[in-house]
């Protein structure tokens, strides 16, 4: 039996037991799990291995590619500029990025980018993963494109380009790339072990991702003119690309953030704690309220999930994620099952990051088990 490392309060023994079971059974390879309640880490656990050969232990300094959990940090960066009065979510993107007005996008608002409703959820063909590594050039291509559906009418998950769109707005407003902004304005001040991409000096402590089974749907079935097909092939990728130097060197604010449960919780707890973490204020209450302004509520045109999108974050939707309760909660997760949940009523943040990717699009049986165990034992 492998007992997870770290600490947890006795009332969360079921959470520790669930992680232990998954590590023992092999469902988990390596993982970290944090529950922060108003700045106190009542659960701070990690365990397992970084590698499939099970020769290198996952320790408290291990980081991994967290896939779309990265988007939650990218959204925070944009909201920080909103809070400073430098960015208005209700203004056209073209106010800050004039080239984006091309091909009928002059009325696309910043809030549309943040809620996946802009109509630009990938690159027009031809598109390869290497195209995304040249961040500015890829953003310029997106600015020149026509939208794939009428902006603002529905969400179509901005799978790999969310960070290119938001990042270019951040760059135009702040003069810094998204990677720089996150390092200097978020991770640095908070002392959070998180970065967009991963510096070469940190590669030795990265847990490579272990790819999941194929996704449970075929983009061809939707038709080549559909937003789903265009997004999933614009560009397509396999999970093992995350283990390459080129991916780690890139600035992909949709998908190549590197961190662990502790660092992601440290950053995103700013939301549940009223915008401030240990004296470092990132957001004010008025800006936080924007998160709950519903922008889309229905079946997403790209990933096919029934989703409620606020500004920057998903909101509870029982049909899709029944194990996240109703209430003043926002969340999102990464391919393979990583999850970050901010519960405003309880001033609580739940963070789960791992290297062995599970089947599916959002969440996993493992993340569901941990989250249920947290909520079952809050009293």
């Amino acid at each position: 039996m492998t007992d997870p490392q770290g600490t947890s309060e006795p009332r969360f023994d079921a959470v520790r037991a669930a992680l232990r079971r998954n590590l023992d059974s092999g469902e988990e390879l390596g993982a970290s799990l944090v529950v922060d309640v108003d700045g106190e880490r009542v659960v701070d656990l990690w365990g397992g291995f970084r590698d499939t050969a099970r020769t290198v232990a996952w320790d408290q300094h291990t980081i991994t590619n967290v896939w779309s959990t990265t988007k939650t940090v990218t959204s925070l960066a944009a909201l920080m500029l909103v809070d400073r009065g430098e960015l208005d979510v209700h203004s056209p993107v073209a106010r800050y990025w004039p080239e984006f007005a091309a091909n009928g996008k002059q009325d696309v608002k910043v809030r549309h980018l943040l809620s996946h409703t802009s109509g630009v959820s990938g690159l027009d063909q031809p598109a390869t993963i290497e195209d995304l590594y040249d961040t500015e050039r890829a953003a310029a291509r997106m600015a020149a494109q026509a939208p794939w559906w009428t902006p603002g009418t529905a969400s179509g998950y901005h799978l790999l380009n969310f960070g290119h769109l938001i990042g270019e707005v951040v760059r135009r407003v702040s003069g810094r790339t998204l990677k720089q902004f996150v390092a200097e304005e978020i991770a640095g001040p908070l002392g959070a072990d998180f970065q967009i991409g991963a510096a070469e000096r940190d590669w030795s402590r990265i847990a490579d991702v272990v790819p999941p089974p194929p996704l449970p749907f075929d983009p061809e079935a939707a038709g080549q003119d559909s937003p789903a097909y265009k997004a999933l092939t614009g560009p397509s990728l396999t999970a093992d690309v995350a283990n390459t130097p080129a991916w780690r060197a890139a600035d992909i604010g949709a998908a190549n953030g590197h961190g662990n449960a502790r660092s992601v919780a440290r950053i995103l707890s700013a939301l549940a704690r009223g915008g401030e973490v240990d004296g470092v204020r990132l957001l004010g209450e008025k800006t936080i309220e924007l998160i709950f302004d519903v922008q889309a509520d229905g079946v997403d045109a790209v990933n096919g999930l029934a989703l409620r999108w606020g500004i920057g974050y998903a909101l509870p939707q029982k049909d899709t994620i029944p194990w996240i309760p109703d209430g003043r909660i926002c969340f999102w997760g990464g391919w393979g099952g990583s999850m970050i949940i901010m519960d405003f009523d309880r001033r609580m943040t739940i963070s789960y990051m791992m290297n062995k990717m599970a089947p599916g699009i959002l969440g996993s049986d493992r993340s569901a088990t941990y989250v249920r165990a947290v909520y079952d034992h809050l009293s």
Side-chain angles (χ1 to χ4, degrees):
M1 182 177 292
T2 305
D3 196 46
Q5 301 297 301
T7 60
S8 59
E9 292 186 356
R11 59 179 169 146
F12 294 107
D13 282 349
V15 179
R16 179 186 282 271
L19 179 57
R20 180 191 303 117
R21 283 195 303 273
N22 283 331
L23 289 169
D24 284 343
S25 69
E27 284 296 309
E28 293 281 16
L29 179 58
S32 55
L33 182 61
V34 163
V35 180
D36 177 290
V37 178
D38 204 13
E40 182 180 358
R41 287 199 296 263
V42 296
V43 175
D44 184 11
L45 299 172
W46 61 87
F49 298 90
R50 296 183 196 173
D51 61 326
T52 54
R54 297 175 178 265
T55 60
V56 183
W58 180 301
D59 63 29
Q60 63 178 316
H61 301 297
T62 298
I63 58 175
T64 193
N65 190 89
V66 301
W67 293 112
S68 287
T69 295
T70 312
K71 292 179 174 73
T72 64
V73 180
T74 296
S75 292
L76 176 61
L79 289 177
M80 287 171 63
L81 293 175
V82 172
D83 200 70
R84 296 172 185 180
E86 299 175 31
L87 182 64
D88 181 353
V89 297
H90 300 293
S91 287
V93 175
R95 173 181 172 184
Y96 310 98
W97 180 7
E99 298 90 334
F100 193 82
N103 261 316
K105 301 193 303 303
Q106 65 276 1
D107 295 325
V108 175
K109 306 296 195 296
V110 173
R111 61 185 173 86
H112 295 144
L113 300 186
L114 284 162
S115 59
H116 303 265
T117 63
S118 75
V120 184
S121 54
L123 284 170
D124 282 338
Q125 292 294 339
T128 68
I129 194 66
E130 288 77 16
D131 291 329
L132 295 183
Y133 298 159
D134 188 336
T135 311
E136 289 187 33
R137 184 177 180 184
R141 283 180 58 182
M142 294 168 202
Q145 291 179 193
W148 294 344
W149 69 92
T150 303
T153 60
S155 72
Y157 190 49
H158 294 14
L159 182 69
L160 291 173
N161 71 323
F162 184 82
H164 290 75
L165 297 174
I166 300 300
E168 184 62 16
V169 172
V170 168
R171 189 176 75 87
R172 297 292 178 112
V173 172
S174 73
R176 285 175 284 184
T177 66
L178 179 64
K179 179 184 287 193
Q180 290 170 332
F181 189 93
V182 168
E184 295 169 6
E185 298 287 343
I186 300 176
L190 295 180
D193 187 10
F194 182 91
Q195 50 194 308
I196 303 289
E200 188 170 355
R201 65 178 178 274
D202 295 312
W203 290 1
S204 63
R205 60 190 183 93
I206 293 175
D208 283 356
V209 302
V210 179
L215 288 172
F217 60 89
D218 178 7
E220 291 273 3
Q224 294 190 7
D225 290 332
S226 69
Y229 180 84
K230 290 179 178 180
L232 290 165
T233 61
S236 58
L237 87 164
T238 57
D240 53 7
V241 73
N243 301 329
T244 66
W247 177 269
R248 291 171 179 171
D251 188 346
I252 303 176
N256 84 332
H258 284 71
N260 51 36
R262 185 183 286 179
S263 61
V264 176
R266 175 76 174 168
I267 291 171
L268 274 302
S269 68
L271 302 184
R273 295 167 67 183
E276 185 175 321
V277 176
D278 297 340
V280 179
R281 176 158 292 281
L282 302 183
L283 300 176
E285 289 288 351
K286 184 177 178 181
T287 303
I288 289 173
E289 284 302 313
L290 290 173
I291 293 169
F292 296 97
D293 187 352
V294 177
Q295 303 294 302
D297 188 352
V299 176
D300 187 272
V302 169
N303 62 31
L305 299 175
L307 295 170
R308 289 175 66 227
W309 281 108
I311 294 180
Y313 301 88
L315 307 176
Q317 219 290 356
K318 284 292 187 182
D319 293 338
T320 300
I321 305 285
W323 35 272
I324 295 180
D326 291 329
R328 282 176 54 79
I329 292 172
C330 69
F331 73 97
W332 196 240
W335 187 19
S338 66
M339 186 62 57
I340 181 73
I341 299 167
M342 288 70 71
D343 186 323
F344 292 72
D345 294 328
R346 298 170 178 84
R347 294 178 68 88
M348 178 176 70
T349 303
I350 304 171
S351 178
Y352 160 62
M353 307 295 142
M354 77 296 142
N355 59 347
K356 183 180 179 182
M357 299 170 64
I361 303 169
L362 178 63
S364 69
D365 289 344
R366 284 173 266 155
S367 46
T369 296
Y370 303 140
V371 173
R372 284 192 175 111
V374 170
Y375 277 103
D376 284 348
H377 296 83
L378 280 175
S379 60

